[in-house]
Amino acid sequence: MRIVAKIGTSTLTNGTSCLAPPLLVDFARQTSELLDAGHQVLLVTSGAIALGREKLGFPQLPKDIPAKQMLAAIGQSRLMAVYDQIFGLYGRTVAQILLTRRDLERRRSYLNARNALIALVEQKVVPIVNENDTVATEEIRVGDNDNLSALVANLVDADLLILVTDQAGLYTADPRKESDAQLVSEVSTGEIPEELWHAAGGSDSRLGTGGMVTKLQAADLARRSGAACIIASGKEHDILLRLANGEKVGTYFTPVASSMESRKRYILSARRAPGVLKVDDGAVRALRRGASLLPIGMTEVSGTFGRGDTVRVCDPTGTEIARGIANYDSSDLVRIVRCPSDAIEAILGYHFGDEVIHHNNMVLL
Ligand code: GLU
């Protein structure tokens, strides 16, 4: 299973204003056991700003963006040093990935980020993802790590998104204000019910930016991208292991689409697909069998497009048979038409993979 787990500031600091390493050690142990069991795990972590504040000794700072960016720059490197050390106890390697909304919206950077993350998890490295707060201005930021983690789950086609928080899950009302508030154990309706949005209310956590509303937004996005989502408490013993084993703890959101459907939607949602790749009969048969498109099967490239853009694939008669995300710019593809894949590097001087369009990034029509 491919799992994205989001750890919020309140969990990292155990509700204080300083980092609480024992909890992190416990998450590292659980993550390591998940990897041993054959799962792939990506962590989305908050805490850069909180750690920057702690490092500077909690100075009085203006509330403006440059102050936050400064704190994030100081705290992020510290945060990674801590993750590196703690995962090192279990012989695990971590990798830092900093993203903004813009990186996920632009097709080229989307594809680059996706390929890098998948390469990391396939090597059993644990990507530690955070928003790139130091450069993320209002227009390009996601703004909270709940939504960021759902975008990451979508990016890597995760099976499960776990939102680790300091509460047992989602309640029918604010449990701190209403004594008859009930824990919601499962949301399986197509749409998340209006009452739950209402009950999620606002955030009143002092340090993090997320509240239940952003968790619901994240759950909504994740389940539409084909991932199940669980909101559960980080204080529960072995929470990641138990959830990965299918135990019902916290609030479980069933997926409402398959990740394949969601990927197809993404491919077909391109505003325009100006590029056309004409392929030979052998390639048509191979694609129909589920193979990727290789340069050797291409006979003609037309239109101008970039790596990451959606292009049309046409058979020798010009009929469109598939659409997919191109791994190379049109100017590159023109140079490798009809070439064997092992010649790509020699011709272009670089290599984004053997495929012109990877099978997973293609929709047959
Ligand atoms: N990216 C922020 C940080 O690392 C946290 C955002 C959030 O908690 O949602 O400090």
Side-chain angles (χ1 to χ4, degrees), residues 4-6 44 144-154 161 163 218:
V4 175
K6 182 258 172 177
V44 175
D144 70 88
N145 279 13
D146 293 322
N147 278 290
L148 177 66
S149 65
L151 291 168
V152 169
N154 172 277
L161 170 65
L163 300 171

Side-chain angles (χ1 to χ4, degrees), residues 70-129:
M70 172 191 80
L71 290 172
I74 296 165
Q76 179 63 32
S77 54
R78 216 181 138 227
L79 190 60
M80 278 317 292
V82 171
Y83 273 106
D84 189 69
Q85 210 175 13
I86 289 178
F87 276 76
L89 298 173
Y90 297 92
R92 298 296 180 185
T93 304
V94 296
Q96 168 178 266
I97 307 283
L98 298 176
L99 297 170
T100 62
R101 183 182 289 283
R102 192 174 54 189
D103 298 321
L104 302 170
E105 278 173 359
R106 293 195 178 159
R107 286 178 168 250
R108 174 186 289 262
S109 47
Y110 175 96
L111 190 62
N112 289 339
R114 172 181 160 87
N115 290 347
L117 285 170
I118 290 176
L120 286 167
V121 292
E122 284 176 350
Q123 290 302 316
K124 292 201 170 283
V125 172
V126 182
I128 310 278
V129 185

Side-chain angles (χ1 to χ4, degrees), residues 6 9 45-50 130-131 133 143-146 208-210:
K6 182 258 172 177
T9 304
T45 186
S46 308
I49 295 176
N130 196 359
E131 179 133 44
D133 291 315
D144 70 88
N145 279 13
D146 293 322
T209 28

